[in-house]
Amino acid sequence: MVSTATIAEIAALAGDPARAAMLNTLMDGRALTATELASVAGVTPQTASGHLARLTTAGLLAVEKQGRHRYHRLASPMVAQMVESLSQLAATLAPPGRRVATGPRDLALRTARTCYDHLAGRLGVALTDALLDAGHAEIDGDAGAVTDGGLAFFAGIGIDLERATTRNGRRSSRVFCRPCLDWSERRPHLAGAVGAAICSHAFEQGWIRRVDGSRAVAVTRKGEQALRSAFGIAL
Amino acid sequence: MVSTATIAEIAALAGDPARAAMLNTLMDGRALTATELASVAGVTPQTASGHLARLTTAGLLAVEKQGRHRYHRLASPMVAQMVESLSQLAATLAPPGRRVATGPRDLALRTARTCYDHLAGRLGVALTDALLDAGHAEIDGDAGAVTDGGLAFFAGIGIDLERATTRNGRRSSRVFCRPCLDWSERRPHLAGAVGAAICSHAFEQGWIRRVDGSRAVAVTRKGEQALRSAFGIAL
DNA sequence: GGAATGCTTCGGCCCCGACCGTAGCATCGA
DNA sequence: TCGATGCTACGGTCGGGGCCGAAGCATTCC
């Protein structure tokens, strides 16, 4: 966050194949570790470390230290917008034959996808809205919380939040509930242990299933019924 | 227009100081010669020629041959949008204290300027606000629209939106109306075909004129009257 | 405690590409 | 026809930076 930040400097940062792959991977709003990003970029961890350091000092990425892991995410929606405009342009300029098939996949991603370990897209935001409206959860700035009524509600539909926050009988240090700005909806959805518990429960109950092994998920017929009866959601 | 056009390739093209200066200079939508662009980039003509060739084959620039001159311009509004998003990010990431020396030239830029092919700055935002307040246009998120009343309004002041959206008798695929976040005002102004039509009309009617051949424009006396009577704007 | 894991720093290699000087093509004005 | 101008093509130089191997901290697990 030191240098004078010219257009050329920003573009040069995104102009390296390895760094571009990292930025593109982080476009879903997740926070990934340096090793994971090294993998997607196809470089060794020490090389990735250098790239991540440059992206971070430039202000494009934000890091969150958690134990021996360092989670990297896009620093702001504006960075996502910049990457998005690059993607659009790349898709347009690519020879029509070799254009990445647009449409169903993108539509699926915007409808419902996983964001790290919780749900995002229209589904994730709709779930969050429903929980907020019902008074089961609250969001205030960067903080989130589940109300007492919410705890009972989750228990009633089979989501044990006690179990979700403990591992090996010991309390996890993980953030219990926090809002996460949705990349496509530009509105918050629930993350943290609560978001993860909802997501894994939805998978276990067969409400949703992965599409093509990508981040996109599809809501099953059973899931539609469950979401309507439990949350009052008609996606 | 050959290679597969990845994000990294596009960004790398914009990541060179000389090429970035060229792209930035072309942001006003004009077409400049190679020599002029070499001047603003601070390189020799032969170096600039190489840069321009790369930008052109990549599809970022379009060339128009006229005699012994070759006029270069941005290939599409999408390129302008990409450069715009880079500018925004650069302005945001720059240390607040040492932002480029603010002077009369900057003041003129902030007051009124062209953004590719439409109006920006205080003038652009004021025009947009007036249109929104009068119900002539609407903005919802990333989408914009002109109302039926708006169409009649524009026709009344001599702006034919039908003509603006058709080319050679066929409907252009260009986005009709979209909001564009103003770099200096941090609020949206109108872009797309509508924004372009307003801008060109303002030039044709002598409401505004260029300053020093830069992106800045000055509102003429005639323009002040027209803006006040037609839009109710007192800049 | 010791070992394993995640990440960073350091040093050195090496390639890409930005730059210019020179020279070669087009076009315009006499 | 002959310069003058605008632009491009080629060759050579050289500096930045991407890459990895080796080594050094920090943290966690057993």
Side-chain angles (χ1 to χ4, degrees):
Chain A
M1 197 97 65
V2 179
S3 60
T4 329
T6 66
I7 295 180
E9 288 166 355
I10 308 264
L13 284 173
D16 176 77
R19 287 194 295 263
M22 293 174 176
L23 290 173
N24 203 32
T25 304
L26 293 173
M27 276 298 284
D28 60 1
R30 288 183 297 178
L32 300 181
T33 66
T35 306
E36 289 170 321
L37 289 170
S39 171
V40 300
V43 295
T44 59
Q46 58 267 34
T47 300
S49 178
H51 285 312
L52 292 171
R54 292 187 61 181
L55 289 170
T56 303
T57 57
L60 294 186
L61 296 187
V63 260
E64 202 169 339
K65 208 172 155 186
Q66 237 177 64
R68 58 181 167 183
H69 296 276
R70 287 170 67 98
Y71 287 96
H72 300 259
R73 61 176 173 80
L74 299 187
S76 74
M78 201 175 287
V79 177
Q81 189 180 341
M82 185 268 291
V83 178
E84 177 77 14
S85 71
L86 282 171
S87 299
Q88 279 183 18
L89 198 53
T92 305
L93 296 180
R98 256 300 175 228
R99 198 175 300 175
V100 185
T102 178
R105 188 193 173 95
D106 282 349
L107 180 61
L109 272 181
R110 289 177 191 279
T111 301
R113 66 179 180 277
T114 53
C115 174
Y116 186 40
D117 58 2
H118 52 272
L119 293 171
R122 290 223 320 277
L123 173 60
V125 172
L127 272 170
T128 302
D129 284 344
L131 290 172
L132 294 178
D133 288 345
H136 294 149
E138 294 170 350
I139 287 181
D140 180 17
D142 289 344
V146 173
T147 63
D148 290 339
L151 287 174
F153 166 76
F154 281 118
I157 61 174
I159 298 181
D160 185 1
L161 289 181
E162 271 308 309
R163 185 174 64 92
T165 56
T166 56
R167 188 173 51 179
N168 301 335
R170 297 174 58 182
R171 187 158 212 75
S172 166
S173 65
R174 179 164 185 204
V175 175
F176 181 62
C177 176
R178 68 172 178 86
C180 171
L181 189 60
D182 195 277
W183 161 62
S184 55
E185 297 291 309
R186 304 293 168 92
R187 297 184 46 223
H189 59 246
L190 283 187
V194 172
I198 297 174
C199 180
S200 60
H201 184 77
F203 272 118
E204 290 168 4
Q205 296 296 315
W207 294 355
I208 55 177
R209 58 176 172 73
R210 288 218 174 270
V211 176
D212 310 327
S214 73
R215 299 193 313 271
V217 299
V219 178
T220 64
R221 200 170 303 267
K222 180 181 176 185
E224 287 181 10
Q225 296 177 352
L227 290 173
R228 184 160 38 233
S229 65
F231 297 90
I233 298 176
L235 198 59
Chain B
M1 196 97 64
V2 180
S3 60
T4 327
T6 66
I7 296 179
E9 288 166 355
I10 308 264
L13 283 173
D16 177 79
R19 287 193 295 264
M22 292 175 177
L23 290 174
N24 203 31
T25 305
L26 293 172
M27 276 296 286
D28 58 5
R30 287 181 300 174
L32 300 182
T33 67
T35 307
E36 289 170 321
L37 288 171
S39 170
V40 300
V43 294
T44 59
Q46 57 267 35
T47 299
S49 177
H51 286 311
L52 292 171
R54 293 186 60 182
L55 289 171
T56 302
T57 57
L60 294 187
L61 295 188
V63 239
E64 203 169 338
K65 208 173 156 185
Q66 236 178 63
R68 59 181 167 183
H69 295 275
R70 288 170 67 96
Y71 288 96
H72 300 259
R73 60 176 173 81
L74 298 189
S76 75
M78 201 176 289
V79 177
Q81 191 177 344
M82 185 269 290
V83 178
E84 182 75 14
S85 71
L86 281 171
S87 299
Q88 279 183 25
L89 198 52
T92 305
L93 296 180
R98 231 339 154 214
R99 209 173 290 173
V100 191
T102 173
R105 185 194 174 92
D106 281 348
L107 180 61
L109 274 180
R110 289 176 192 279
T111 301
R113 66 179 181 276
T114 52
C115 174
Y116 185 50
D117 60 2
H118 53 270
L119 293 172
R122 290 222 323 275
L123 174 60
V125 172
L127 272 171
T128 303
D129 283 345
L131 290 172
L132 294 178
D133 288 345
H136 294 149
E138 294 170 349
I139 287 182
D140 181 17
D142 288 345
V146 174
T147 62
D148 290 339
L151 288 175
F153 167 75
F154 281 118
I157 62 174
I159 297 181
D160 185 0
L161 289 181
E162 271 308 308
R163 186 174 63 92
T165 58
T166 56
R167 191 174 45 183
N168 300 335
R170 297 175 57 182
R171 188 157 213 78
S172 167
S173 63
R174 181 169 181 198
V175 174
F176 181 62
C177 178
R178 70 171 179 85
C180 172
L181 189 60
D182 195 278
W183 162 63
S184 55
E185 296 291 308
R186 303 294 169 91
R187 298 182 47 221
H189 59 246
L190 284 187
V194 172
I198 297 174
C199 180
S200 61
H201 183 78
F203 273 117
E204 290 167 5
Q205 295 297 315
W207 295 355
I208 53 177
R209 58 174 172 74
R210 288 212 177 275
V211 176
D212 309 330
S214 73
R215 290 178 63 181
V217 299
V219 178
T220 63
R221 200 169 302 266
K222 179 182 178 185
E224 287 181 9
Q225 295 177 353
L227 289 173
R228 183 159 41 232
S229 64
F231 297 89
I233 297 176
L235 198 59

